Amino acid sequence: MQSKDPNPGHLAIAECEARLHGQGRRVVVITQNIDELHRKAGTKNLLEIHGSLFKTRCTSCGNVAENYKSPICPALSGKGAAEPETEDARIPVEKLPRCEEAGCGGLLRPHVVWFGENLDPAILDEVDRELTLCDLCLVVGTSSVVYPAAMFAPQVSARGVSVAEFNMETTPATDRFRFHFHGPCGTTLPEALAGHETETVS
C-alpha cells in the first residue's frame, strides 16, 4: 500500500476540505478504507472507522502505534501473498512482530477491524456527533451494504439532509438519496467538488 498514490477523487476531497476551511466551513471524511490514501491526499479531518494498515495494536497491552516499516519485522520479508493457494509462511512465533512498550513484548497485529470484530465505540461516538452536525453528505464509492456504515447516509437523509452518492452503480440505498452521480469517482468527484465562482469566501 505504501507504493499507492491517492486518485483524483481523494485529491478532490482534500482540496475541497482545504478550500471550505478557508471559508470557515468544515468537512469531515468518515471512511471504511484502511489504506490511508485520504490522509496521503491531504485530508485533515478524518475518521477511519476500520482503522489503518499503518498502525499496529499490541494484543497484550493494547498500545496502538504508527508503523510504516515494510515489512514490519524481518521474518515477514517476502511473505504475505494473499492468494488462496499460498502456503503457510511457517514463521516461528518468536520471530513475529512484538510490542516495543517497556516490559510488554506482546504480539502485534494490524490496527484494523477484521470481519466479526466490533468497531471502536469511541470512533462510533465521533461519527454519531458528526452525522448529527452534518448539513450535506457525500457517499463515495461504497456498496452501502457493510454495517453500521451502510446506515450513516440514510440516517442523515432521514433528517432531511441532502445526500449525494458517487458510484459506478446504484446501491441498495440509492433511492433514499437526493442525488446519484454515476461513474468513476476519480472523474465525477473532481468536477462536482471544484470551486465555483458563486462560493462565499469569508
Side-chain angles (χ1 to χ4, degrees):
M1 284 311 309
Q2 287 180 338
S3 67
K4 304 301 177 201
D5 290 319
N7 70 37
H10 295 106
L11 297 171
I13 291 169
E15 289 163 6
C16 179
E17 177 193 28
R19 188 178 74 254
L20 293 181
H21 177 77
Q23 298 173 16
R25 298 160 78 191
R26 198 159 159 269
V27 171
V28 176
V29 174
I30 301 169
T31 185
Q32 299 176 89
N33 296 340
I34 59 174
D35 54 23
E36 288 197 5
L37 289 175
H38 282 291
R39 189 177 310 280
K40 205 170 180 181
T43 295
K44 304 289 185 233
N45 294 320
L46 182 62
L47 296 175
E48 297 167 309
I49 64 171
H50 288 164
S52 167
L53 278 176
F54 300 104
K55 291 180 182 171
T56 56
R57 183 169 71 242
C58 177
T59 58
S60 295
C61 73
N63 183 60
V64 175
E66 285 188 346
N67 190 324
Y68 290 91
K69 294 184 267 181
S70 181
I72 65 171
C73 71
L76 294 177
S77 183
K79 307 288 192 286
E83 302 305 319
E85 57 279 345
T86 300
E87 289 185 36
D88 184 336
R90 300 189 192 282
I91 300 169
V93 71
E94 63 273 8
K95 301 275 188 187
L96 291 173
R98 297 289 177 164
C99 181
E100 296 177 8
E101 285 295 297
C104 183
L107 281 172
L108 294 179
R109 59 162 281 177
H111 184 56
V112 298
V113 177
W114 284 326
F115 285 105
E117 293 182 331
N118 292 325
L119 293 159
D120 181 341
I123 294 281
L124 287 178
D125 286 345
E126 285 185 72
V127 167
D128 194 50
R129 276 192 298 277
E130 294 302 336
L131 294 177
T132 301
L133 297 171
C134 178
D135 60 3
L136 173 65
C137 178
L138 307 182
V139 180
V140 179
T142 182
S143 63
S144 292
V145 296
V146 178
Y147 286 84
M151 282 310 300
F152 296 165
Q155 173 185 334
V156 170
S157 180
R159 279 195 302 123
V161 173
S162 291
V163 175
E165 181 181 57
F166 293 79
N167 212 332
M168 291 288 291
E169 54 199 28
T170 59
T171 69
T174 299
D175 291 341
R176 298 180 184 183
F177 304 148
R178 184 164 180 193
F179 305 102
H180 175 84
F181 294 87
H182 183 84
C185 298
T187 303
T188 56
L189 272 173
E191 184 177 352
L193 299 183
H196 192 270
E197 60 193 31
T198 60
E199 284 186 29
T200 307
V201 180
S202 18

